[in-house]
Amino acid sequence: MGRGGTLEVASCEVLRTWLLQNNLDLPEEDVDDDVACCGFDGFPDEGSFFLGIRAMEKLYANRSVPGGFDPPDQPDHPFWRNEWIPFLSDQDGWSGKFIDARDGRVGRWFVGEVTVTGEYASMARYFDSVAETLTRIAEGQSPVCEVAEGRLVWS
């Protein structure tokens, strides 16, 4: 493996180590085997979860396919590509957001619908949008969410 490949593997290991140290996964005793994904519940919206590393790995393993994309006859418009790393999902793993490992863009999937690639140019842009949402909530400009007793409450 060349130098670039070695750096890439090292970068992945550093990221994985950081994610495990700052893990969003539920404690083992709270994990429900019937739930496809679990993580930090209810943010940035009700019903979605920022995933911990183990939940990412579990969902990725469930979505990845031999050949790299699904369906195999539509490589330019797949429902799923193995280069997509999920970081946010619903409990069933039917929808969520992913980062495209090829170019860093953030997209979203929903099983049975067209996958949207490049919804955000990067993770930084995605988190900027989350910060903007939190600002609107804090200012009382979000009709679906409010702060009650220091917690976000979704209506």
Side-chain angles (χ1 to χ4, degrees), residues 23-135:
N23 201 355
L24 294 176
D25 284 318
L26 294 174
E28 288 294 324
E29 62 272 8
D30 294 336
V31 173
D32 182 347
D33 290 333
D34 293 330
V35 174
C37 295
C38 56
F40 191 69
D41 185 15
F43 179 80
D45 57 50
E46 189 64 35
S48 66
F49 298 80
F50 275 114
L51 304 174
I53 185 73
R54 288 180 185 88
M56 285 179 189
E57 291 172 334
K58 181 179 177 182
L59 181 57
Y60 181 84
N62 288 336
R63 299 292 309 183
S64 64
V65 293
F69 48 87
D70 181 35
D73 60 340
Q74 295 182 28
D76 295 328
H77 302 286
F79 294 121
W80 187 260
R81 294 187 72 91
N82 288 355
E83 295 91 358
W84 296 343
I85 310 301
F87 67 90
L88 184 133
S89 178
D90 65 346
Q91 278 193 325
D92 299 323
W94 286 78
S95 65
K97 295 198 182 297
F98 60 85
I99 185 164
D100 190 327
R102 298 172 301 169
D103 58 17
R105 295 181 306 157
V106 172
R108 64 181 155 86
W109 87 91
F110 190 94
V111 172
E113 292 186 14
V114 175
T115 299
V116 176
T117 57
E119 182 178 23
Y120 297 94
S122 66
M123 288 288 284
R125 293 287 183 237
Y126 169 72
F127 284 115
D128 283 345
S129 76
V130 172
E132 290 168 10
T133 300
L134 290 174
T135 300

